[in-house]
């Protein structure tokens, strides 16, 4: 087995601005933590630099018109029409260099897919990818170029079956839209319900159209959902659906903004459920393309991604600095002196309300898919 970790220091240093919640630096923190815990030093692992994508490849997900606008923005131009393309908002500011930056982040996801399709690579992780909100002609939700759509479209050119599993706290609207009428892509998104947060979509009734009917699966969850309820949903719905579909490649958007401390969402997960899910994913498909995504508590996100990388590669994290005088401590693992969080459980009437809401979603999907 061979695996690839995509990383570029230059891309990780890119700034969305001091007040913007999206910090590409998370990728650097994840890489450092992987090194510290000795999970990135196996012979079977390669660290690769993301390549830039040609216009022709970007067109798999975006319109020419939009790419022209993005290129001009990237060169430093500011103009009125950019707003029609979603640029110039608080979420998606006009950033110098954004075209080249996004194109390289997407380059890693795309090349990672090619490696999985062509070669004996089984695991790819691109912590600088996972821009699931970008639409065909519109930037949204901190996303400008939809690397996931580009990579999955490329896989369809090779006539492969893809499961796209999105465990980010937000609905994967950009990816859903691109494959809504497609039966070769199984789209599954588990997210905080759109009744409460952006992008306000991803209801259980959104299930695909035409030959894609039934291949889009949305699992909206109420605020304060904890590990216990989340895992139940995953085991009862997601696992049987993926087993049934039998993908050639599983693309996983493993954003970590579901975590209890995330400032932008209301789910209450710990990395105990997050890692259990990564373990399950590992058992569901030989070839896995994992990308970053949300995650606005950057240290906790780095821990999630370090653990995910270790699990996907079946290596055990060992703190190489443990017990050394003056060894650096790294963010919140100080609390528990482990990469794993303390377990957390919601109880009482609040839990009953959550359970009732989630049971309705589970029942609906069980019936809908004959599980
Ligand atoms: Zn998110």
């Amino acid at each position: 087995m061979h695996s690839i970790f995509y990383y570029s220091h230059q891309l990780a240093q890119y700034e969305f601005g001091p007040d913007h919640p999206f910090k590409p630096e998370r990728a650097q923190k994840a890489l450092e933590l992987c090194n510290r815990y000795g999970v990135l030093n196996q012979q079977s692992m390669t660290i690769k630099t993301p390549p830039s994508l040609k216009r022709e490849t970007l067109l798999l997900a975006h319109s020419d018109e939009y790419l022209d606008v993005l290129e001009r923005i990237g060169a430093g131009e500011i103009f009125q029409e950019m707003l029609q393309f979603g640029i110039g908002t608080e979420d998606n500011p006009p950033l110098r260099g954004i075209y080249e930056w996004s194109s390289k982040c997407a380059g890693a996801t795309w090349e990672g897919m090619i490696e999985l399709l062509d070669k004996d690579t089984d695991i790819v992780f691109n912590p600088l990818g996972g821009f699931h909100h970008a639409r065909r002609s519109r930037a949204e939700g901190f996303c400008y170029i939809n690397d996931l759509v580009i990579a999955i479209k490329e896989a369809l050119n090779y006539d492969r079956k893809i499961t796209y599993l999105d465990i980010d706290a937000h609905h994967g609207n950009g990816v859903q839209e691109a494959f809504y009428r497609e039966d070769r892509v199984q789209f599954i998104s588990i997210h905080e319900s759109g009744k409460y947060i952006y992008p306000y979509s991803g209801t259980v009734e959104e299930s695909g159209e035409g030959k894609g009917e039934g291949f889009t699966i949305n699992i909206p969850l109420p605020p304060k959902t904890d590990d216990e309820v989340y895992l139940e949903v995953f085991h009862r719905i997601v696992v049987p659906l993926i087993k049934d579909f039998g993908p050639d490649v599983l693309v996983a958007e493993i954003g970590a903004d579901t975590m209890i401390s995330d400032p932008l969402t209301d789910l209450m997960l710990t990395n105990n459920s997050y890692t259990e899910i990564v373990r399950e994913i590992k058992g569901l498909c030989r070839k896995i393309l994992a990308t970053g995504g949300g995650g606005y508590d950057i240290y906790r996100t780095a821990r999630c991604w370090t653990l995910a990388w270790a699990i996907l590669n079946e290596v055990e994290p060992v703190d190489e600095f443990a017990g050394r005088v003056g060894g650096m401590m790294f963010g919140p693992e100080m609390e528990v002196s482990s990469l794993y969080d303390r377990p957390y459980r919601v109880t009482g009437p609040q839990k009953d309300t959550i359970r009732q809401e989630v049971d309705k979603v589970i029942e609906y999907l069980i019936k809908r898919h004959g599980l």
Side-chain angles (χ1 to χ4, degrees):
M1 185 190 86
H2 176 239
S3 60
I4 304 172
F5 188 112
Y6 277 97
Y7 182 73
S8 145
H9 193 60
Q10 196 198 341
L11 296 180
Q13 298 309 301
Y14 190 69
E15 279 278 356
F16 275 52
D19 298 327
H20 200 288
F22 189 83
K23 308 283 181 206
E25 190 198 348
R26 303 168 303 166
Q28 184 190 338
K29 300 286 176 218
L31 179 92
E32 286 170 4
L33 207 53
C34 281
N35 283 327
R36 169 171 167 171
Y37 279 86
V39 295
L40 201 46
N41 55 10
Q42 313 283 308
Q43 283 221 319
S44 56
M45 298 172 179
T46 312
I47 301 175
K48 286 188 88 174
T49 306
S52 205
L53 285 180
K54 292 197 200 102
R55 172 66 74 115
E56 166 196 348
T57 310
L58 296 173
L59 284 167
L60 288 170
H62 298 284
S63 66
D64 234 331
E65 204 188 5
Y66 172 69
L67 293 172
D68 285 342
V69 166
L70 198 60
E71 206 166 11
R72 285 171 61 197
I73 299 285
E77 277 187 61
I78 304 277
F79 45 96
Q80 190 64 41
E81 313 87 90
M82 68 184 184
L83 279 164
Q84 290 160 29
F85 298 88
I87 303 170
T89 62
E90 222 169 90
D91 282 2
N92 292 81
L95 300 169
R96 187 178 278 275
I98 190 64
Y99 183 86
E100 192 53 22
W101 184 81
S102 302
S103 161
K104 283 187 174 159
C105 292
T109 307
W110 175 83
E111 190 187 88
M113 178 63 90
I114 300 288
E115 292 277 347
L116 291 169
L117 296 172
D118 271 354
K119 317 231 169 90
D120 67 342
T121 300
D122 284 339
I123 302 294
V124 173
F125 180 43
N126 175 19
L128 290 156
F131 296 98
H132 60 166
H133 298 307
R135 323 275 288 269
R136 189 170 161 71
S137 292
R138 190 171 177 84
E140 255 193 42
F142 319 156
C143 305
Y144 296 81
I145 295 282
N146 199 316
D147 58 314
L148 300 154
V149 170
I150 293 170
I152 296 170
K153 288 256 174 146
E154 194 66 271
L156 294 182
N157 290 337
Y158 284 65
D159 208 25
R160 303 294 167 91
K161 275 167 74 180
I162 305 295
T163 288
Y164 170 77
L165 173 64
D166 190 323
I167 62 167
D168 189 284
H170 300 94
H171 176 228
N173 59 337
V175 181
Q176 171 172 305
E177 187 173 73
F179 302 109
Y180 209 56
R181 304 180 69 84
E182 179 58 72
D183 61 354
R184 294 172 296 167
V185 179
Q186 179 186 48
F187 169 96
I188 305 174
S189 179
I190 319 173
H191 46 264
E192 181 175 347
S193 166
K195 274 190 275 184
Y196 310 99
I197 59 167
Y198 172 86
Y200 312 106
S201 53
T203 65
V204 76
E205 290 87 8
E206 291 166 37
S207 61
E209 263 171 25
K211 70 179 165 78
E213 178 66 53
F215 292 90
T216 289
I217 298 105
N218 281 300
I219 310 177
L221 300 170
K224 313 287 179 207
T225 295
D226 65 3
D227 286 342
E228 191 185 16
V229 171
Y230 194 90
L231 284 172
E232 188 185 330
V233 170
F234 193 81
H235 288 130
R236 291 184 65 188
I237 306 294
V238 179
V239 172
L241 282 173
I242 297 178
K243 277 189 179 157
D244 191 46
F245 185 72
D248 296 308
V249 178
L250 196 158
V251 178
E253 203 269 31
I254 57 170
D257 47 5
T258 49
M259 293 296 114
I260 190 163
S261 58
D262 195 276
L264 298 193
T265 74
D266 315 295
L267 299 178
M268 303 294 264
L269 304 193
T270 72
N271 65 20
N272 296 294
S273 60
Y274 184 91
T275 48
E276 186 166 336
I277 280 165
V278 176
R279 250 175 231 114
E280 289 277 358
I281 293 172
K282 168 81 181 162
L284 287 169
C285 189
R286 190 163 70 91
K287 298 213 175 237
I288 296 170
L289 172 56
T291 71
Y296 307 100
D297 173 340
I298 71 170
Y299 290 102
R300 204 177 281 265
T301 301
R303 286 160 73 197
C304 282
W305 291 350
T306 299
L307 285 165
W309 173 257
I311 292 163
L312 291 174
N313 284 283
E314 297 173 322
V315 289
E316 207 51 55
V318 177
D319 188 350
E320 317 249 306
F321 288 80
R324 276 195 217 173
V325 178
M328 59 170 178
M329 288 312 281
F330 189 92
E333 91 264 21
M334 274 180 79
E335 301 163 17
V336 282
S337 58
S338 157
L339 282 174
Y340 286 94
D341 294 331
R342 272 198 211 94
Y344 176 83
R345 237 174 129 159
V346 176
T347 53
Q350 190 173 38
K351 182 70 162 266
D352 299 337
T353 312
I354 291 165
R355 220 173 244 299
Q356 280 165 16
E357 204 170 319
V358 174
D359 279 347
K360 274 189 243 159
V361 170
I362 293 178
E363 288 313 313
Y364 180 94
L365 290 169
I366 283 180
K367 219 183 234 173
R368 173 73 183 72
H369 294 279
L371 298 171

